[in-house]
DNA sequence: AATGAATGAGGATTCATTCAT
DNA sequence: TATGAATGAATCCTCATTCAT
């Protein structure tokens, strides 16, 4: 009954919850299940979280799309990725890899659906989404001569397509990589047009 | 206490549920609330639906994206819309109008998030999504000389962008119409490239 | 499982709760115990009461001192009880009889102690206590020529003594009847003095 | 984190508990709250008290009516207070002053209501109440020529009236002093009668 | 003496579903 | 068809107490 690894209890709870939320949804996952999976007692949960909903906030940030694209914040990126194409491929790969851990996609869609009810989550999402889009657009303008608005639309379409793929995979029949290449190509094509015009 | 308009009970229940699901989510909406809003007795609910989940299936189909684009199935459409651009603008307008009734978008995202758990819904979604994408691609090929796969990607990006707009609206700051024009333009640009190559 | 006596469920719950609250106190009595004693299912409790505290309000009024003295509101009382002494003896007897059902006294003292926390109960008590004192004083003035304030004090002392007896019984060693006679005599004595002056 | 003033921990706990019990009642006050208010750790509580109930006993005695009337045990009192009237006024003043610290009255009523359940408290109360009444009666007989039983009744009525005032204050509308004078007068009046007869 | 993380039995409340009328 | 009282399993959360440090 003693603590095997001190200080890890919170982490154990978060991980257990993550997996359960992914497979069953927030509302259907019980605190009982979380603590059972984490291997701690019921009361322990409430030492670390005020309530079940409190835990949700903890998870919300971790599955946001902005967390899925670390290269978006790497300042030396233009060096490693000389072309926009290679850069977008990198971002796309990161995104698909990140969400290939099923529970992340599940939780993220859950976020979207409960946004209305949970103000905290709504704020986290709105803010991180804005940041993501703006940063993405800024990066594009570093590669190609295009207006910010066009870059924004381009990046949003890129992001939207990746996101849509997460739940339309089986309807499309393409592999992630193939799909990604096609989408990047489409974005590039479109941008070429915007710049040449 | 007698039914004023016989035969409308089921409809009243469906409408009540729709609104409640949209604002509170499936799991948080109780049968009590549904019957209260519908103005019928508790037991009556079970005359029309085997269970709460049974009702969900009823609603699932109604908020699917395929229902949002009636023009996709209109056989005479190429007449009214001579160009791909005008056609996509029409589809996009229909889509945004359809989901401008907030509860539809809410319920749809809810669908996505519970798909894993509710096999029925998963099937409905997969099937209708496939149909939608394929029909959209087919239509594109009627306008421009492009391979089916490219048309599929193009249409999926179009659809994905519209869908993403539903929850990224406030992060973008564009009006629906402006955004739509930009997205259609991007798709067209890309397709021009694909065909010319 | 069928209802033996329709419409009595609420009453059964109230009675069961009354007895349990008396012997264990509000906080220590569980809803489980109440429904077990009432012979209904757990959920049934919440059909009739919003919460456990809601039930308390129901009981609060029933154990108030004003309920213990029905003769206080009988308009023909001066006929049956020609002297103040006989009238006070009657009121006192009613009071002691009422609270001889132990649970009433227990619940009443509980009320006093939770008054601060439960605004509803505080209001019920304050109002019913005012009414009781004022009516008692009015009755006294019908028997003897005395100012209202003196009558009020006299009646309050009478009431206070009876109430104190409920928890000081074993410290005094008198029987209820003997005690009552003494108290009534004291009140009468005092009033005689007030009037003669 | 070290104790600034060693040996004061127990006292800090008692004081914290006193305030909390007064405002929330025993059952609703948690050990968590007590230690938080006292500024010590959870485990420390159990160094000083076997259990929460153990602490209650500690407090019970401190709020008993007998503690409210120190002059009752002063052997030189007949010197300072030559008349019964002046003596009762003194006792009454002490009583009202003592319980004017609200939490004492609150806790005392709480005691009364949990007496049934907590044998320890019941014993403390019974004993201290007996002592109080007997001592009060004895004092009265030192002033006036009256039988012990009559003195007992008189003192009990005096005490009961004061106690009743603690929760009927707002129903009466008198100031404490005015009320006290009236009650003392009534007791004196009654005793005059008893002796003259 | 002091700490505070961990415990787990216990209690309030919810809600989908049934069924006698 | 329609009703709504009754059900009870399921779930969230509390809190007194322990114990290794």
């Amino acid at each position: 009954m003693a603590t095997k690894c001190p200080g890890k209890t919170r982490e154990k709870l978060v991980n257990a919850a993550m997996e359960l939320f992914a497979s069953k949804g927030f509302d259907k996952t019980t605190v009982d299940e979380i603590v059972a999976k984490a291997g701690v007692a019921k009361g322990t949960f409430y030492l670390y979280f005020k309530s079940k909903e409190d835990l949700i906030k903890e998870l919300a940030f971790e599955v946001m799309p902005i967390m899925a694209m670390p290269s978006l914040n790497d300042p030396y990126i233009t060096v490693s990725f000389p072309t926009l194409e290679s850069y977008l491929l990198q971002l796309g790969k990161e995104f698909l890899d990140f969400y290939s851990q099923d529970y992340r996609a599940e939780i993220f869609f859950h976020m979207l659906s409960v946004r209305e009810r949970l103000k905290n989550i709504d704020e986290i999402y709105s803010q991180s989404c804005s940041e993501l889009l703006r940063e993405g657009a800024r990066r594009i303008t570093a590669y190609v001569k295009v207006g910010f608005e066009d870059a924004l639309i381009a990046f949003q379409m890129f992001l939207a397509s990746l996101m849509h793929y997460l739940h339309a995979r089986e309807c499309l029949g393409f592999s992630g990589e193939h799909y990604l290449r096609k989408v990047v190509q489409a974005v590039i094509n479109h941008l070429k047009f915007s710049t040449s015009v």
Side-chain angles (χ1 to χ4, degrees), chain A:
Chain A
M1 304 311 170
T3 319
K4 279 101 187 180
C5 28
K8 298 293 184 217
T9 304
R10 185 193 186 86
E11 207 175 315
K12 282 193 287 179
L13 284 166
V14 169
N15 290 336
M18 195 83 114
E19 289 176 46
L20 287 163
F21 283 169
S23 66
K24 317 186 63 179
F26 295 137
D27 299 321
K28 283 278 163 59
T29 299
T30 70
V31 174
D32 267 10
E33 289 168 320
I34 296 171
V35 295
K37 186 155 209 153
V40 301
K42 193 92 136 283
T44 305
F45 181 91
Y46 293 92
L47 269 183
Y48 294 95
F49 306 98
K50 264 210 320 291
S51 66
K52 209 174 87 175
E53 218 170 78
D54 192 49
L55 167 59
I56 293 176
K57 282 182 268 172
E58 178 97 14
L59 298 182
F61 197 76
E62 298 190 24
V63 299
M64 288 289 160
I66 205 166
M67 304 297 281
M69 296 176 160
S71 290
L72 207 60
N73 292 309
D74 186 337
Y76 306 109
I77 218 73
T78 36
V79 181
S80 338
F81 302 96
T83 63
L84 176 58
E85 185 174 12
S86 62
Y87 184 45
L88 290 180
L89 283 171
Q90 169 66 10
L91 290 178
K93 195 179 162 330
E94 285 173 0
F95 184 94
L96 294 177
D97 280 356
F98 181 82
Y99 285 115
S100 71
Q101 284 213 249
D102 244 26
Y103 67 87
R104 284 181 178 139
E106 294 297 331
I107 294 177
F108 174 66
F109 289 126
H110 220 106
M111 295 289 160
L112 285 187
S113 77
V114 297
R115 214 158 49 105
E116 285 289 297
R117 287 182 278 148
L118 275 46
K119 282 297 157 220
N120 300 306
I121 289 183
D122 194 35
E123 274 166 40
I124 292 175
Y125 176 68
S126 286
Q127 200 182 318
S128 91
C129 179
S130 284
E131 208 179 310
L132 174 62
L133 290 175
R134 250 150 272 282
E135 186 59 24
R138 217 176 54 73
R139 292 293 178 138
I140 286 179
T141 59
Y143 282 102
V144 297
K145 227 184 165 73
V146 72
F148 189 75
E149 189 184 303
D150 282 325
L152 200 57
I153 297 278
F155 191 75
Q156 194 246 357
M157 288 182 75
F158 174 61
L159 185 66
S161 301
L162 292 171
M163 210 169 273
H164 192 259
Y165 179 76
L166 296 178
H167 60 256
R169 209 175 336 191
E170 53 266 37
C171 309
L172 278 167
F174 303 153
S175 77
E177 278 155 58
H178 181 68
Y179 176 76
L180 177 57
R181 264 198 311 278
K182 286 288 186 180
V183 166
V184 169
Q185 202 176 57
V187 172
I188 304 281
N189 285 348
H190 161 57
L191 284 172
K192 268 185 200 148
F193 238 90
S194 299
T195 51
S196 68
V197 171

